[in-house]
Amino acid sequence: DDKMAVSVELTDFERVAGFVNPGSEVAIFGTATSPVRRLPDGTEQTLSSVTRIILARVPVIGVGTTAVGSRTTTTEEGEQVTEEVPRTILTVAVTQAEAEKLMLADRTTDLTFALLGGETESRDKGGVNPVDILPETFGGAAG
């Protein structure tokens, strides 16, 4: 009763390859690649890429029809490759504060949904950045 429906368009990969159905619960992650922060003096600082949980547990109330779109990427050799990517609209039930967070994340990060089991715990633990997964490559301590 205190929730609203918000829809997000995702690729097949981002929506757990079609395993998410109405009644499922999902965690929603956002990956910001080289985000920029404006400093008080007006200059900008590029930050490290980061992946964090946006919403820890939300119910899915609808899964829209899958449509096929195209995505063009550039290979390391400079070739442009176009591929067909299935896209689906998922609708989740969220509070107003969660809706605002999700809408901003949808427009500023790459979203990925994670399907949760009934006992799965998900919570924000500060996220990870490249040094956390490849410490020796990015000058961090090996661990």
Side-chain angles (χ1 to χ4, degrees), residues 58-139:
V58 294
V60 175
I61 58 174
V63 179
T65 305
T66 300
V68 176
S70 62
R71 175 175 64 186
T72 303
T73 57
T74 304
T75 66
E76 290 181 15
E77 294 80 28
E79 287 183 51
Q80 288 197 335
V81 178
T82 301
E83 60 183 330
E84 291 186 349
V85 180
R87 301 189 70 80
T88 301
I89 296 175
L90 292 181
T91 303
V92 294
V94 292
T95 65
Q96 180 178 337
E98 290 170 330
E100 292 167 351
K101 196 173 184 180
L102 179 57
M103 288 176 199
L104 181 61
D106 185 36
R107 286 159 181 78
T108 61
T109 67
D110 293 322
L111 294 180
T112 302
F113 281 38
L115 181 61
L116 301 175
E119 302 299 317
T120 306
E121 288 188 32
S122 58
R123 61 185 177 277
D124 187 4
K125 292 185 174 185
V128 296
N129 60 42
V131 75
D132 295 324
I133 57 174
L134 299 169
E136 293 177 10
T137 301
F138 294 99

